[in-house]
């Protein structure tokens, strides 16, 4: 019920960060082994009484703020952000 395409998540993050989509998104061909969809089944959590306490948008903003405030504790993470290699 809360499914979003990856591009919508990327665009939401860019907007929260106050950036321009044109400067942040580069469309490239899909990898040969690209996943078409990522889903999470939360039915077991709901059975245990879990309830969503904030909207997706609010949660994303809160997460971005947390990273802005605490990223320095992790040092240089640039190597972790390198895209997966392509199979040729």
């Amino acid at each position: 019920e809360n499914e979003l395409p990856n591009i919508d998540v990327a665009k939401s993050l860019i907007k929260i960060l106050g950036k321009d989509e044109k400067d942040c998104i580069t469309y490239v061909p899909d990898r040969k082994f690209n996943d078409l969809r990522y889903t999470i089944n939360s039915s077991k959590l709901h059975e245990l009484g879990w309830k969503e306490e904030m909207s997706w948008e609010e949660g994303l903003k809160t997460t971005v703020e947390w990273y802005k405030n605490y990223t320095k504790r992790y040092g240089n993470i640039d190597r972790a952000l390198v895209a997966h290699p392509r199979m040729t």
Side-chain angles (χ1 to χ4, degrees):
E1 66 197 54
N2 290 333
E3 244 180 77
L4 292 171
N6 290 342
I7 190 67
D8 290 353
V9 174
K11 288 178 178 182
S12 294
L13 286 166
I14 291 166
K15 183 177 179 182
I16 291 168
L17 293 167
K19 305 284 183 181
D20 188 338
E21 280 182 31
K22 294 173 195 160
D23 297 331
C24 297
I25 296 177
T26 302
Y27 292 92
V28 297
D30 283 342
R31 298 171 290 171
K32 292 180 183 179
F33 55 92
N34 198 43
D35 296 329
L36 298 178
R37 183 173 170 214
Y38 304 101
T39 60
I40 297 173
N41 181 342
S42 59
S43 61
K44 298 276 186 191
L45 290 171
H46 290 281
E47 288 173 17
L48 294 169
W50 179 85
K51 293 182 185 119
E52 193 173 304
E53 294 183 0
M54 63 178 66
S55 69
W56 161 256
E57 293 80 10
E58 184 183 353
L60 192 60
K61 286 178 187 174
T62 301
T63 302
V64 168
E65 285 305 312
W66 187 92
Y67 275 95
K68 282 179 168 180
N69 292 329
Y70 298 105
T71 299
K72 290 181 180 144
R73 65 166 72 159
Y74 300 105
N76 186 345
I77 62 167
D78 288 347
R79 288 187 51 196
L81 301 176
V82 174
H84 295 287
R86 295 187 177 277
M87 294 177 65
T88 56

